[in-house]
């Protein structure tokens, strides 16, 4: 049987939310099943999100994270943890991928996820916020072997793994079958809310693998860009004076 893909998407209400969720949903709709879209909201499951999920035709779970969080820097951390807990608790079997709602994904990426056995990673293209240029973050590979990293100036040597949140995926059994993967402890694997900005990914990945030898660069050679992390937000766009954007532009 084909391996299941488990896509975890934290989301929150803002002007472009409906646009983002529709766009991502339409890509996921094109991925051959089995694929499960876990969409996680904070505090309540909104009607608007529920409606979009119903319409996409993708198998989904609409999850609510109730952890109290006042830290604006958390940006989806608790929501991803809620999904991880759900996967662990229900022993869901598949390849877990964190797909934020606002990134752009190619179909090829999702097809490649099924080839991953333990932990797969690939380079992601992004805009460097301060420098007005596109940069890569992710592995440099020899075949599927990871031999180095594209880094950026911000955190050059300090980070163990230079991977974007949308630049890796892993086997869900690492979460609930520690013996199979000879994990040193069976403590739950979680994203931490206490790490410095830019270290969220590496701190998480360090719980999944010991080093590069346990990683699979995908597709072999790691020379393809399959998704883009552009940091575009409604608040930074330029609108004619006096225009007002609603909280959610899902107009029916
Ligand atoms: N997010 C969220 N609540 C927030 C901030 C972010 O659910 O208060 C989600 C957002 O929808 C996205 C992910 O977390 O799926 C990452 O957020 P964002 O794209 O703003 O972070 P960045 O890309 O700048 O790291």
């Amino acid at each position: 049987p084909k391996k299941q893909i488990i896509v975890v998407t934290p989301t929150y209400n803002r002007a472009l939310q409906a646009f983002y969720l529709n766009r991502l949903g339409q890509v996921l709709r094109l991925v051959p099943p089995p694929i499960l879209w876990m969409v996680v909201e904070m505090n309540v499951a909104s009607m608007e999100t529920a409606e979009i999920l119903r319409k996409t035709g993708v198998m989904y779970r609409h999850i609510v994270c109730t952890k109290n969080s006042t830290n604006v820097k958390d940006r989806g951390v608790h929501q991803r943890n809620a999904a991880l807990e759900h996967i662990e608790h229900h022993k869901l079997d598949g390849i877990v991928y964190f797909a934020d709602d606002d990134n752009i994904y190619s179909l090829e990426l999702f097809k490649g996820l099924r080839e991953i056995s333990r932990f797969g990673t690939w380079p992601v293209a992004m805009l460097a916020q301060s420098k007005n240029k596109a940069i890569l973050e992710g592995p440099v590979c020899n075949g599927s072997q990871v031999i180095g990293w594209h880094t950026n100036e911000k955190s050059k040597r300090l980070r163990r793994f230079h991977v974007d949140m949308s630049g890796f995926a892993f086997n869900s059994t690492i979460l609930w079958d520690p013996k199979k993967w000879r994990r040193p402890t069976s403590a739950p694997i979680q994203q931490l809310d206490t790490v410095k900005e830019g270290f969220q990914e590496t701190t998480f990945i360090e719980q999944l693998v010991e080093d590069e030898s346990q990683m699979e660069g995908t597709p072999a050679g790691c020379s393809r860009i399959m998704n883009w992390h552009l940091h575009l937000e409604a608040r930074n766009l330029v609108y004619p004076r006096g225009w007002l954007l609603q909280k959610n532009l899902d107009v029916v």
Side-chain angles (χ1 to χ4, degrees), residues 10-12 14 75-76 79-80 100-102 229 231:
T11 188
Y12 71 113
R14 60 218 195 274
R75 311 198 74 70
Q79 284 141 283
R80 291 192 204 94
D100 288 349
D101 58 2
D102 55 338
H229 184 169
H231 302 280

Side-chain angles (χ1 to χ4, degrees), residues 153-169:
E153 296 99 64
K154 210 166 79 180
S155 41
K156 230 173 209 160
R157 275 182 223 91
L158 302 169
R159 278 195 296 185
R160 178 66 183 85
F161 303 120
H162 295 266
V163 183
D164 183 67
M165 195 61 79
S166 63
F168 69 96

Side-chain angles (χ1 to χ4, degrees), residues 12-19 48 234 244-250:
Y12 71 113
N13 193 242
R14 60 218 195 274
L16 298 186
Q17 182 186 27
F19 162 67
E48 291 85 355
L244 190 68
L245 275 189
Q246 290 169 357
K247 265 283 193 177
N248 193 322
L249 295 179
D250 196 11

Side-chain angles (χ1 to χ4, degrees), residues 105-176:
Y105 307 91
S106 69
L107 195 50
E108 189 187 349
L109 184 158
F110 294 97
K111 289 187 172 154
L113 294 184
R114 294 210 159 94
E115 311 298 318
I116 294 168
S117 81
R118 179 188 183 124
F119 177 98
T121 182
W122 57 90
V124 176
M126 53 184 65
L127 287 181
Q129 263 157 330
S130 53
K131 299 245 170 2
N132 290 331
K133 64 179 182 188
I135 55 170
L136 291 183
E137 196 169 272
V140 176
C141 304
N142 180 7
S144 59
Q145 195 190 350
V146 176
I147 55 170
W149 301 99
H150 296 284
T151 64
N152 60 53
E153 296 99 64
K154 210 166 79 180
S155 41
K156 230 173 209 160
R157 275 182 223 91
L158 302 169
R159 278 195 296 185
R160 178 66 183 85
F161 303 120
H162 295 266
V163 183
D164 183 67
M165 195 61 79
S166 63
F168 69 96
F170 60 95
N171 197 315
S172 68
T173 56
I174 302 179
L175 300 176
W176 48 263

Side-chain angles (χ1 to χ4, degrees), residues 219-247:
C222 299
S223 55
R224 295 188 67 86
I225 299 303
M226 302 186 289
N227 60 305
W228 296 263
H229 184 169
L230 299 181
H231 302 280
L232 300 178
E233 263 308 338
R235 61 172 185 274
N236 296 326
L237 299 176
V238 178
Y239 294 99
R241 254 160 94 77
W243 279 34
L244 190 68
L245 275 189
Q246 290 169 357
K247 265 283 193 177

